[in-house]
Amino acid sequence: DIYSQREHYWLQAQEQANRTCASGYDQASRHLHQLFESYQFKGDAAVFDQRFKRFIAANNSRKALLNRLSDLA
């Protein structure tokens, strides 16, 4: 289950973002959307929002990635 492995998914999302290519951004987006859903399901949306904001701040210069994540912001 994604929630129980959430740290792994956060790390994977960042690793994929670090690849700075379309396929990496697609994978990072997929991981973050899955994380969003799992946090919602567990009633932990505020924790996701806090972590997501840190992810966005760390990747603020990657506009193509941010576009893929705009529906989560």
Side-chain angles (χ1 to χ4, degrees), residues 28-41:
S29 174
R30 198 167 304 120
H31 287 314
L32 289 166
H33 280 85
Q34 290 172 329
L35 281 164
F36 173 77
E37 290 173 10
S38 68
Y39 277 82
Q40 292 285 321
F41 182 74

Side-chain angles (χ1 to χ4, degrees), residues 10-30:
W10 283 109
L11 290 172
Q12 284 295 308
Q14 188 58 60
E15 283 181 22
Q16 292 299 319
N18 290 345
R19 291 177 51 212
T20 64
C21 63
S23 63
Y25 291 167
D26 288 343
Q27 277 292 100
S29 174
R30 198 167 304 120

Side-chain angles (χ1 to χ4, degrees), residues 3 10 36 39-54:
Y3 190 81
W10 283 109
F36 173 77
Y39 277 82
Q40 292 285 321
F41 182 74
K42 294 288 186 179
D44 231 354
V47 175
F48 174 85
D49 289 344
Q50 187 177 35
R51 186 82 182 259
F52 183 70
K53 285 177 183 168
R54 288 202 317 255

